[in-house]
Amino acid sequence: MLDFPRNRRQEYGTTAPVSFPGPVVETFTAERGAARAGLGIGERDEVAVLSLGGMNTRAESRRMARAVIRAWRAYADRGARLLVLADRPDEPAPDLRDGHGHGGTVVWAGVASDPGTYYRAADVVLNDAMGSAVCDPARNRVPTVALLDAGGAGRPEGASRTAAGPVR
């Protein structure tokens, strides 16, 4: 959408003024190495960032966080870190607490005043697809995975839980 006027040079049947605000996100100022050093992350460390927000007010955020954290602890390499940028739930269930399982470690970093630093430091960002925050890392060329709540919110009528079938 941001490149619409440049790539769509044809006449349309409307005379209504259309404005394009330009990039809706800022370019991250921190370089990857500096962002990692500032957060105490080594150059070769494996790090993902989960950014959902609204953990205490949105049930779908808690469901997505729970699914990602369970998968991270089960399948991520030992020593890999998942930094969760969100309010810690008021009463976190055992599977949402800090710590590690058989695989990666989960660290609740809280709400960051500068999430761009975390995004730049990450190997991948996992973000809620229903918000505009997914635009920040994607615009800045950080590998990004957009998440939808498997509990039903945001899923089109009749759509399956996953394209490949249920996750077991």
Side-chain angles (χ1 to χ4, degrees):
M1 185 160 141
L2 298 177
D3 66 348
F4 189 85
R6 182 177 52 234
N7 292 321
R8 316 284 185 307
R9 299 189 184 277
Q10 57 195 37
E11 293 291 326
Y12 292 95
T14 183
T15 58
V18 176
S19 65
F20 296 92
V24 293
V25 297
E26 297 293 322
T27 301
F28 296 153
T29 56
E31 292 299 322
R32 180 176 166 84
R36 283 181 162 246
L39 295 172
I41 300 169
E43 185 178 325
R44 294 189 165 294
D45 292 353
E46 294 178 21
V47 176
V49 169
L50 172 63
S51 180
L52 297 173
M55 289 295 291
N56 290 313
T57 59
R58 296 182 60 228
E60 56 272 13
S61 289
R62 289 189 299 275
R63 284 192 298 266
M64 286 187 286
R66 185 169 281 116
V68 168
I69 289 170
R70 282 181 184 155
W72 188 263
R73 287 184 173 147
Y75 300 108
D77 290 339
R78 188 168 272 301
R81 284 184 276 177
L82 175 67
L83 305 177
V84 183
L85 298 185
D87 294 322
R88 182 187 302 268
D90 292 331
E91 296 180 25
D95 57 348
L96 290 180
R97 293 193 180 126
D98 285 341
H100 64 276
H102 302 291
T105 301
V106 175
V107 178
W108 285 82
V111 176
S113 60
D114 182 17
T117 299
Y118 286 87
Y119 295 159
R120 179 60 81 202
D123 295 306
V124 64
V125 174
L126 309 167
N127 220 322
D128 186 347
M130 299 305 284
S132 62
V134 74
C135 297
D136 292 331
R139 163 86 164 90
N140 284 279
R141 301 178 191 271
V142 175
T144 306
V145 176
L147 304 171
L148 284 176
D149 174 27
R155 191 175 46 195
E157 182 81 27
S160 65
R161 282 183 143 9
T162 67
V167 176
R168 298 186 200 278

